[in-house]
Amino acid sequence: MAMTGVLRPGHVALRVTDLDAGVKHYRDVIGLMETGRDAQGRVYFKAWDEHDHHSVVLREADSAGMDYMGFRVDCEETLERLAAAVEGSGLATDLQWIGAGEQLHTGRRFRFTVPTGHAMELFAHKDKVGNGMPDVNPDPWPDDLKGMQPTRFDHCLLYGDDLDGTVKLFTEVLGFQVAERVMAGDTMVSAFLTCSTKPHDIAFIRHPEKNRFHHCSFILGSWGDVLRAADIISKKDVSLDIGPTRHGITRGETIYFFDPSGNRNEVFSGGYIYYPDKPVITWTVEDLGRAIFYHDRKLNDAFLNVHT
Amino acid sequence: MAMTGVLRPGHVALRVTDLDAGVKHYRDVIGLMETGRDAQGRVYFKAWDEHDHHSVVLREADSAGMDYMGFRVDCEETLERLAAAVEGSGLATDLQWIGAGEQLHTGRRFRFTVPTGHAMELFAHKDKVGNGMPDVNPDPWPDDLKGMQPTRFDHCLLYGDDLDGTVKLFTEVLGFQVAERVMAGDTMVSAFLTCSTKPHDIAFIRHPEKNRFHHCSFILGSWGDVLRAADIISKKDVSLDIGPTRHGITRGETIYFFDPSGNRNEVFSGGYIYYPDKPVITWTVEDLGRAIFYHDRKLNDAFLNVHT
Amino acid sequence: MAMTGVLRPGHVALRVTDLDAGVKHYRDVIGLMETGRDAQGRVYFKAWDEHDHHSVVLREADSAGMDYMGFRVDCEETLERLAAAVEGSGLATDLQWIGAGEQLHTGRRFRFTVPTGHAMELFAHKDKVGNGMPDVNPDPWPDDLKGMQPTRFDHCLLYGDDLDGTVKLFTEVLGFQVAERVMAGDTMVSAFLTCSTKPHDIAFIRHPEKNRFHHCSFILGSWGDVLRAADIISKKDVSLDIGPTRHGITRGETIYFFDPSGNRNEVFSGGYIYYPDKPVITWTVEDLGRAIFYHDRKLNDAFLNVHT
Amino acid sequence: MAMTGVLRPGHVALRVTDLDAGVKHYRDVIGLMETGRDAQGRVYFKAWDEHDHHSVVLREADSAGMDYMGFRVDCEETLERLAAAVEGSGLATDLQWIGAGEQLHTGRRFRFTVPTGHAMELFAHKDKVGNGMPDVNPDPWPDDLKGMQPTRFDHCLLYGDDLDGTVKLFTEVLGFQVAERVMAGDTMVSAFLTCSTKPHDIAFIRHPEKNRFHHCSFILGSWGDVLRAADIISKKDVSLDIGPTRHGITRGETIYFFDPSGNRNEVFSGGYIYYPDKPVITWTVEDLGRAIFYHDRKLNDAFLNVHT
């Protein structure tokens, strides 16, 4: 098989300070489908073109932020192999197996903390619930879509201290590649990592604190959908960060905004097709503004300083 | 590494009956870059966002059609492993190694004929010539793009008799998966095969003759680019087949047209992100019209009957 | 005032053979808002960005087709002046005043039959019902839009015999201009007439029979909306005529389809800004295919032969 | 005729501090066509879909800004009638006739200064040079377009003190209408004026100084073209003001940037179809941010403070 090992970002578990407000945001503004609630009160969502039961899990907590992010691997053997490799690497801490069923409709998960302080998970099974259309003679999109109508949860951008350690773990143990990076002289200050043909499946920025969450991102069908998302943000009085604009990194067309608890979200479209033999794109830190916001060519204050 | 084995369609070698007319078409209409000519008189082209030296090779001949299609694999070890596997499978004929340099800037290629009669190649090396932009602080697109401005050669659709044999070889030996298929009762009449997160990297339709070429396809950035391509087709008096329209299969937004020798080309945008755990989409042959041309819901005569 | 006289197409009154099916089509497929039903059983609709009470009126009848088309003029004085001019021209027949209130929320209308046999109306008043948003600090679009979401009723294309007479009446009496025309030698076979900066507000094609209806057209925001409309046509099993494609005439991006009674509809986007000093565009009948369907460069059978 | 009186913004005459840099900007960045240079050293440009000889005139001067803006009226009689009406109104100063030929290929112009201090002109004749395509069987767009490829010069936004006087002159004498306005209590602080079906042909914002120039604007075909313009701005290191974004006022999709002399330019797409019976849209000054930049919902510092 040509796609092996880690297949994709499978879920992100977020803390929100007001669950009802969070549900309204992820369901009515972003337009995810609510697929379940569990005994702990967690609420599960999926984007419309995902077949798995969920890709976003919300729980109410005293502070916003990300609990963990999970990656779908191709099979149980890969799960065991990668769990052993993570353990053997000595790069991760807090290793544990979470039993099947702890998340609704989800098999066992191997959890570990990467050097930047973020909890990551690998799992090989989640129940399929379909994308709202039959597998025989389907239409191109289902009826009754709402909000921004992203097709999939795409990636997270995370801030943390030991960027080198986390990049080492993702590339040498989990099979990711660095598609793009930002360098301050010889120091890598940011890495955009892929396990697929997408320009990024996860990204990190060097930051003095451990375990900070910058944003989770959902993919849209077109630049026209980014405009529609921007209009929805204003129509529904959602807090905008920046956009519509283009990233230099990944070339994606993007808009950033905040959920009611202050967690940053992105919806975006575009970007190139990545292959493992593509040269790494390097951005110099002097050109960081253009790398992040290609049109403005400067960072807004929030980008570096607001995270949860 | 998560992307392993066969990475992507790497080149298609086409016969044209008038080389100059063909060069003008692929360069000025489609907008590929000419990257070289060899001692045999073959002309090499790449799409702008490809880093490899070429993805289309034209040669003048008495009849139009496809000589062969080549796939880039991730490394030399994979090349040797897959060559041995193809040989061991007993599914392919006319096995041969083509020496490095037979195509400009290209390593050795392992060539074989699949049960539908098409010559296929695997190769692990082609020189990188870049995408017209630096690897450090690049812009999102280069200046001086021409024609339809596709970013990449994407796939071919081929017609042939032993569809089952070819699908078996691609799935069981080369690691492809069937993303979508058309069934006439228990008989598979078409298969759309992927080795990546694209909905197809190659596709086949069952047909009484061996080794027929239906089209080669190039990917565009957006539905707006499909309109622009359609306009260019009329502005330059290119023979249109059908479009702009949408495929039911793959959901792509598409237009078909012919090169001056009668080889069919496609440019398209869109389509979903494929993963190996996605259910196979099945189309029943009764709904073939909608499967191929989702808006018209019927095939035009040319689709089934015109091939080279 | 710079916009004077006849302002715009104000309504089209259509016959449908099944009123319920017609209502579902214009409301759920095209996405017009139902704004009223009268004692005669007629159903009234408006497009979302129209402020007037209605622009489409359906009534059930034994055969499909257009009863009449009405134009909004700028004031009562213009209405009287143009009514007198129409009468004085000797070009129209069946002159009559229809009293205020015969259509819901509509002032008196001056009706007359033009030389191609079509009933036309002028009116100066229709109650304003707004576009779903306040006049103070509005959003760019309202919530809960459905179907294809056209912003306005735009124009009709009509078939009839005495094209010269009708064009003379529209240009010399009503103040329209010929933006584009199709000529077969010295004979005008089609005229696209405008009373605004739109490329057409009404159009006619020469045809042996009087009073035939080719289509009524609604304007969309973008080429992306044309794709969405095309998808809806297939999702809802609506009969497609042709498209998505571009017209040579007016440059509009278009798709044609039929209501359940066989009346043709168009939704389109784009087209240029017309001014009265713009040269007339002339198409030769030899190039009629390209004039009508710029990409196909030939007419489909239905275009000339199917009308109601 | 339905379009009478003042037809459209016909030209804007701008001062640039470096003529060569200005020519490069308007020609290569915005993509206007240079159509002539006169004995005074002025350089003339048109947008591709304009038929008149020019719509932008640059001259080198010590300071940037706008010399005057000219409006095309429908005929010589209208020119004389409006000139007399302007004079009779007592609202304008510095009345003068400029002789035919003072601008290349242009008839006599009636110039006057409006109460906000801006010089305005009316003219009835400018030579037609065409839009790069024949009037018989044209394609939808010409070859060899450059830069942002706007189709037309669309409007200017000007800052000045006596807004009430200028609005009175434009509405009561020249036949414009207020499509949208911003109110601070009972005081109008901004007016968007139209003489057509466009949401604005000229706009003013109240400001303590007379005769300030905020921007001149060119219209694009789509939101995709706005992205392309944004990319070009960064690729060519042009100074960006803000965008891509949407205006609340007019609903247009927009990006602002500066020419090398500091004159602000806009390119935009979209906006609604205006008719004279449409209710005036009113924005309260408390919501000015959303009125101007619908997504950001706040003004950037430059919008109010940078003008030439």
Side-chain angles (χ1 to χ4, degrees):
Chain A
M1 190 186 309
M3 288 285 300
T4 56
V6 179
L7 296 182
R8 65 173 170 269
H11 52 244
V12 59
L14 296 174
R15 296 186 305 275
V16 291
T17 53
D18 178 332
L19 188 64
D20 287 345
V23 167
K24 281 193 185 113
H25 176 85
Y26 287 90
R27 185 188 62 199
D28 301 338
V29 174
I30 299 188
L32 303 180
M33 277 79 175
E34 184 181 327
T35 54
R37 297 198 179 208
D38 68 18
Q40 296 180 36
R42 292 180 298 186
V43 187
Y44 294 69
F45 299 91
K46 68 181 281 292
W48 75 259
D49 203 24
E50 293 170 339
H51 288 257
D52 287 353
H53 178 264
H54 62 268
S55 57
V56 172
V57 183
L58 299 188
R59 76 170 174 97
E60 193 164 273
D62 290 339
S63 66
M66 183 184 84
D67 281 339
Y68 54 87
M69 184 179 171
F71 288 88
R72 176 72 157 78
V73 303
D74 62 351
C75 62
E76 290 293 329
E77 293 66 35
T78 296
L79 179 58
E80 293 190 2
R81 178 176 59 81
L82 289 176
V86 168
E87 186 163 8
S89 75
L91 289 165
T93 55
D94 300 321
L95 314 183
Q96 57 177 312
W97 284 96
I98 315 281
E102 193 277 338
Q103 277 194 359
L104 292 182
H105 295 278
T106 307
R108 62 178 178 158
R109 293 127 63 202
F110 179 70
R111 188 182 291 175
F112 52 98
T113 298
V114 299
T116 43
H118 302 92
M120 294 287 152
E121 297 183 346
L122 304 175
F123 67 96
H125 178 77
K126 197 176 285 182
D127 288 346
K128 298 293 182 207
V129 296
N131 67 352
M133 296 184 294
D135 294 340
V136 177
N137 301 338
D139 286 314
W141 40 273
D143 290 334
D144 299 321
L145 296 175
K146 277 189 186 175
M148 298 173 180
Q149 307 178 10
T151 54
R152 304 190 71 94
F153 164 49
D154 191 84
H155 67 271
C156 289
L157 173 60
L158 305 173
Y159 277 33
D161 55 351
D162 185 2
L163 178 64
D164 301 318
T166 287
V167 169
K168 184 178 174 72
L169 192 158
F170 271 89
T171 55
E172 298 185 6
V173 181
L174 298 176
F176 284 61
Q177 287 187 289
V178 176
E180 307 204 22
R181 62 184 179 174
V182 182
M183 299 297 291
D186 293 338
T187 304
M188 184 186 290
V189 294
S190 181
F192 292 75
L193 294 147
T194 175
C195 61
S196 69
T197 62
K198 298 191 305 162
H200 51 353
D201 289 299
I202 191 167
F204 293 90
I205 289 188
R206 188 183 295 275
H207 177 79
E209 296 165 280
K210 278 194 185 299
N211 192 25
R212 302 301 293 170
F213 172 76
H214 189 269
H215 72 264
C216 59
S217 182
F218 302 89
I219 191 161
L220 301 178
S222 73
W223 172 237
D225 289 346
V226 176
L227 176 62
R228 200 170 157 283
D231 288 346
I232 288 170
I233 286 167
S234 287
K235 279 170 69 82
K236 295 194 182 277
D237 279 323
V238 171
S239 175
L240 175 72
D241 182 5
I242 193 168
T245 189
R246 185 196 285 283
H247 291 305
I249 295 171
T250 78
R251 302 183 196 159
E253 304 135 6
T254 179
I255 187 163
Y256 284 132
F257 52 101
F258 295 99
D259 78 11
S261 304
N263 293 307
R264 189 187 278 96
N265 302 142
E266 179 189 40
V267 290
F268 79 104
S269 62
Y272 51 80
I273 299 177
Y274 177 81
Y275 286 108
D277 61 328
K278 187 177 175 295
V280 179
I281 299 295
T282 301
W283 298 83
T284 55
V285 76
E286 296 74 20
D287 218 9
L288 185 61
R290 204 162 137 278
I292 304 290
F293 300 123
Y294 181 69
H295 300 146
D296 289 284
R297 286 163 277 168
K298 60 174 187 284
L299 297 185
N300 60 348
D301 288 343
F303 188 86
L304 289 178
N305 300 321
V306 178
H307 34 80
T308 54
Chain B
M1 192 186 309
M3 287 286 299
T4 56
V6 179
L7 296 182
R8 65 173 169 270
H11 53 245
V12 58
L14 297 173
R15 296 186 304 276
V16 292
T17 54
D18 177 333
L19 188 64
D20 286 346
V23 167
K24 280 193 185 116
H25 175 84
Y26 287 90
R27 184 189 62 200
D28 300 338
V29 175
I30 300 188
L32 303 180
M33 276 80 175
E34 183 181 328
T35 55
R37 300 197 177 208
D38 67 19
Q40 297 179 36
R42 293 180 297 187
V43 187
Y44 294 69
F45 299 92
K46 67 180 283 291
W48 75 258
D49 204 24
E50 293 170 339
H51 288 257
D52 287 354
H53 178 264
H54 62 269
S55 57
V56 173
V57 182
L58 298 187
R59 76 171 173 97
E60 195 165 271
D62 291 338
S63 66
M66 184 184 85
D67 281 339
Y68 55 85
M69 184 179 171
F71 288 89
R72 175 71 156 79
V73 304
D74 63 351
C75 62
E76 291 292 329
E77 291 68 33
T78 296
L79 179 58
E80 294 191 0
R81 178 176 59 80
L82 289 175
V86 167
E87 185 162 9
S89 74
L91 290 164
T93 56
D94 300 320
L95 314 183
Q96 58 176 310
W97 284 97
I98 315 280
E102 193 278 337
Q103 277 194 0
L104 293 182
H105 295 280
T106 306
R108 61 176 179 160
R109 295 127 62 201
F110 178 71
R111 187 183 292 176
F112 52 99
T113 298
V114 299
T116 43
H118 302 93
M120 294 287 151
E121 297 183 345
L122 303 175
F123 68 95
H125 178 77
K126 197 176 283 179
D127 287 347
K128 298 292 182 209
V129 297
N131 66 353
M133 296 184 292
D135 295 339
V136 177
N137 301 337
D139 286 315
W141 40 273
D143 290 335
D144 298 323
L145 297 175
K146 277 189 187 177
M148 299 174 179
Q149 305 177 10
T151 54
R152 306 191 70 94
F153 164 49
D154 189 84
H155 67 271
C156 289
L157 173 60
L158 305 172
Y159 278 32
D161 54 352
D162 184 3
L163 178 64
D164 301 318
T166 287
V167 169
K168 186 178 173 71
L169 193 158
F170 271 90
T171 55
E172 297 185 8
V173 181
L174 298 176
F176 284 61
Q177 288 187 289
V178 176
E180 307 204 22
R181 62 182 179 175
V182 183
M183 299 297 292
D186 293 337
T187 305
M188 186 186 288
V189 295
S190 181
F192 291 76
L193 294 146
T194 175
C195 61
S196 67
T197 62
K198 298 191 306 162
H200 52 353
D201 287 301
I202 190 167
F204 293 91
I205 289 186
R206 188 184 294 274
H207 177 79
E209 297 165 279
K210 278 194 185 299
N211 191 24
R212 301 301 292 169
F213 172 74
H214 189 270
H215 73 263
C216 59
S217 183
F218 302 89
I219 191 161
L220 302 178
S222 73
W223 171 238
D225 289 346
V226 176
L227 176 62
R228 201 169 157 284
D231 288 346
I232 289 170
I233 286 168
S234 286
K235 280 169 69 83
K236 295 195 180 275
D237 279 323
V238 171
S239 175
L240 176 72
D241 182 6
I242 193 168
T245 188
R246 184 197 285 283
H247 291 305
I249 295 171
T250 76
R251 301 183 196 159
E253 303 136 4
T254 180
I255 188 163
Y256 283 133
F257 52 102
F258 295 98
D259 78 12
S261 304
N263 293 306
R264 189 186 277 97
N265 302 143
E266 178 188 40
V267 289
F268 79 104
S269 62
Y272 51 79
I273 299 177
Y274 177 81
Y275 286 107
D277 60 328
K278 187 177 174 296
V280 178
I281 300 295
T282 301
W283 298 83
T284 56
V285 76
E286 296 76 18
D287 218 10
L288 184 61
R290 203 160 137 279
I292 303 291
F293 300 123
Y294 180 71
H295 299 145
D296 289 285
R297 287 164 278 167
K298 60 174 188 285
L299 297 185
N300 61 347
D301 287 344
F303 189 84
L304 290 178
N305 299 320
V306 179
H307 33 80
T308 54
Chain C
M1 193 186 307
M3 287 286 299
T4 57
V6 179
L7 296 182
R8 66 173 170 271
H11 53 245
V12 59
L14 297 174
R15 295 186 306 277
V16 292
T17 53
D18 177 333
L19 188 64
D20 286 347
V23 167
K24 279 191 185 115
H25 176 84
Y26 287 90
R27 186 189 60 201
D28 299 340
V29 174
I30 299 188
L32 303 180
M33 276 81 175
E34 183 181 328
T35 55
R37 298 195 178 209
D38 67 18
Q40 296 178 37
R42 293 180 297 187
V43 187
Y44 294 70
F45 298 91
K46 68 180 282 290
W48 75 259
D49 204 25
E50 293 171 338
H51 288 258
D52 287 354
H53 178 264
H54 62 270
S55 57
V56 172
V57 182
L58 298 188
R59 77 172 172 97
E60 194 164 272
D62 290 339
S63 65
M66 183 184 86
D67 281 339
Y68 54 85
M69 184 178 170
F71 287 89
R72 175 73 156 78
V73 303
D74 62 351
C75 62
E76 290 293 329
E77 293 66 34
T78 297
L79 178 58
E80 294 191 0
R81 178 176 59 81
L82 289 175
V86 168
E87 186 162 7
S89 74
L91 289 165
T93 55
D94 300 321
L95 314 183
Q96 57 175 312
W97 284 96
I98 315 281
E102 194 277 338
Q103 276 193 359
L104 292 182
H105 295 279
T106 306
R108 63 178 178 158
R109 294 126 63 201
F110 178 69
R111 187 183 292 175
F112 53 99
T113 299
V114 298
T116 42
H118 302 92
M120 295 287 153
E121 297 184 345
L122 304 175
F123 67 96
H125 177 77
K126 198 176 282 179
D127 288 346
K128 299 292 183 208
V129 297
N131 66 352
M133 296 184 293
D135 295 339
V136 177
N137 300 338
D139 287 314
W141 40 274
D143 290 334
D144 299 323
L145 296 175
K146 280 189 186 176
M148 298 174 180
Q149 306 177 10
T151 54
R152 306 191 70 96
F153 164 50
D154 190 84
H155 68 271
C156 289
L157 173 59
L158 305 172
Y159 278 32
D161 54 352
D162 185 2
L163 178 64
D164 302 318
T166 286
V167 169
K168 185 177 173 71
L169 193 158
F170 270 90
T171 55
E172 298 185 7
V173 182
L174 298 177
F176 284 61
Q177 289 187 287
V178 176
E180 308 204 21
R181 62 184 179 174
V182 182
M183 299 299 291
D186 293 338
T187 304
M188 184 186 287
V189 294
S190 181
F192 291 75
L193 294 147
T194 174
C195 61
S196 68
T197 62
K198 297 191 306 162
H200 52 353
D201 288 301
I202 190 167
F204 293 91
I205 289 186
R206 189 183 295 273
H207 177 79
E209 297 166 279
K210 278 195 183 301
N211 192 25
R212 301 301 293 170
F213 173 75
H214 189 270
H215 73 262
C216 60
S217 183
F218 302 88
I219 190 161
L220 302 178
S222 73
W223 170 238
D225 289 346
V226 176
L227 176 62
R228 200 169 157 283
D231 289 346
I232 289 171
I233 286 167
S234 287
K235 280 170 69 82
K236 294 193 182 276
D237 279 322
V238 171
S239 175
L240 176 72
D241 182 7
I242 194 168
T245 188
R246 185 196 285 281
H247 291 305
I249 295 171
T250 77
R251 301 183 195 159
E253 303 136 4
T254 180
I255 189 163
Y256 283 133
F257 52 101
F258 296 99
D259 78 13
S261 304
N263 293 307
R264 188 186 278 97
N265 302 143
E266 179 188 40
V267 290
F268 79 104
S269 63
Y272 52 79
I273 299 177
Y274 178 81
Y275 286 107
D277 62 327
K278 187 177 175 295
V280 179
I281 300 294
T282 300
W283 297 82
T284 55
V285 76
E286 297 75 19
D287 217 9
L288 185 61
R290 203 160 137 280
I292 304 291
F293 300 123
Y294 180 70
H295 300 144
D296 289 284
R297 285 164 280 167
K298 60 174 187 282
L299 297 186
N300 60 347
D301 288 343
F303 188 85
L304 288 179
N305 300 320
V306 178
H307 33 79
T308 55
Chain D
M1 190 187 308
M3 288 285 301
T4 57
V6 180
L7 296 182
R8 66 173 168 270
H11 52 244
V12 59
L14 296 175
R15 297 186 304 276
V16 293
T17 53
D18 177 333
L19 188 63
D20 287 346
V23 167
K24 281 192 186 116
H25 175 85
Y26 287 90
R27 185 188 62 200
D28 300 339
V29 175
I30 300 189
L32 303 180
M33 276 80 173
E34 184 181 327
T35 54
R37 300 198 178 208
D38 67 19
Q40 296 178 37
R42 293 180 299 186
V43 187
Y44 295 70
F45 299 91
K46 68 179 281 291
W48 74 260
D49 203 25
E50 293 170 338
H51 288 257
D52 287 353
H53 178 265
H54 62 269
S55 57
V56 172
V57 183
L58 298 188
R59 76 171 174 97
E60 193 163 273
D62 291 338
S63 66
M66 182 183 85
D67 281 339
Y68 54 86
M69 183 179 172
F71 289 88
R72 176 72 156 77
V73 303
D74 62 352
C75 62
E76 290 293 329
E77 292 67 34
T78 295
L79 178 58
E80 293 191 1
R81 177 176 60 79
L82 289 177
V86 168
E87 184 162 9
S89 74
L91 289 165
T93 55
D94 301 319
L95 314 183
Q96 57 176 310
W97 284 96
I98 315 281
E102 193 277 338
Q103 277 194 358
L104 293 182
H105 295 278
T106 306
R108 62 178 179 158
R109 293 127 63 200
F110 179 69
R111 186 182 293 174
F112 53 98
T113 299
V114 299
T116 42
H118 303 92
M120 295 287 152
E121 297 183 345
L122 303 175
F123 67 97
H125 178 77
K126 197 175 284 180
D127 288 346
K128 299 292 182 208
V129 296
N131 66 352
M133 296 184 293
D135 295 340
V136 177
N137 301 338
D139 286 315
W141 41 272
D143 291 334
D144 299 322
L145 297 175
K146 278 189 188 176
M148 298 174 181
Q149 307 177 9
T151 55
R152 304 192 70 94
F153 164 49
D154 190 84
H155 68 269
C156 288
L157 172 60
L158 306 173
Y159 277 33
D161 55 351
D162 185 1
L163 178 63
D164 302 317
T166 287
V167 170
K168 185 178 173 70
L169 194 159
F170 271 89
T171 55
E172 298 185 6
V173 181
L174 298 176
F176 284 62
Q177 288 187 288
V178 176
E180 306 204 22
R181 62 184 178 174
V182 182
M183 300 297 291
D186 293 337
T187 304
M188 184 186 289
V189 294
S190 180
F192 291 75
L193 294 147
T194 174
C195 62
S196 68
T197 62
K198 298 191 306 163
H200 51 354
D201 288 300
I202 190 167
F204 293 91
I205 289 186
R206 189 184 293 274
H207 177 80
E209 296 166 278
K210 278 194 186 300
N211 192 23
R212 301 301 291 171
F213 172 76
H214 189 270
H215 73 264
C216 60
S217 182
F218 302 89
I219 191 162
L220 302 179
S222 73
W223 172 238
D225 290 346
V226 176
L227 176 62
R228 200 170 157 283
D231 288 346
I232 289 170
I233 286 167
S234 286
K235 278 169 71 81
K236 294 194 181 277
D237 279 323
V238 171
S239 175
L240 175 72
D241 183 6
I242 193 168
T245 188
R246 185 196 285 284
H247 291 305
I249 295 171
T250 78
R251 303 183 194 158
E253 303 136 6
T254 180
I255 188 163
Y256 283 132
F257 52 101
F258 296 98
D259 78 12
S261 305
N263 293 306
R264 189 188 276 96
N265 302 143
E266 178 188 40
V267 290
F268 79 104
S269 62
Y272 52 79
I273 299 177
Y274 177 81
Y275 285 108
D277 61 327
K278 187 176 175 295
V280 179
I281 300 294
T282 301
W283 297 83
T284 55
V285 75
E286 296 76 18
D287 217 10
L288 185 61
R290 203 160 138 280
I292 303 292
F293 301 123
Y294 181 70
H295 299 145
D296 289 285
R297 285 164 279 167
K298 59 174 188 283
L299 297 185
N300 60 347
D301 287 343
F303 188 85
L304 289 178
N305 300 321
V306 178
H307 34 80
T308 54

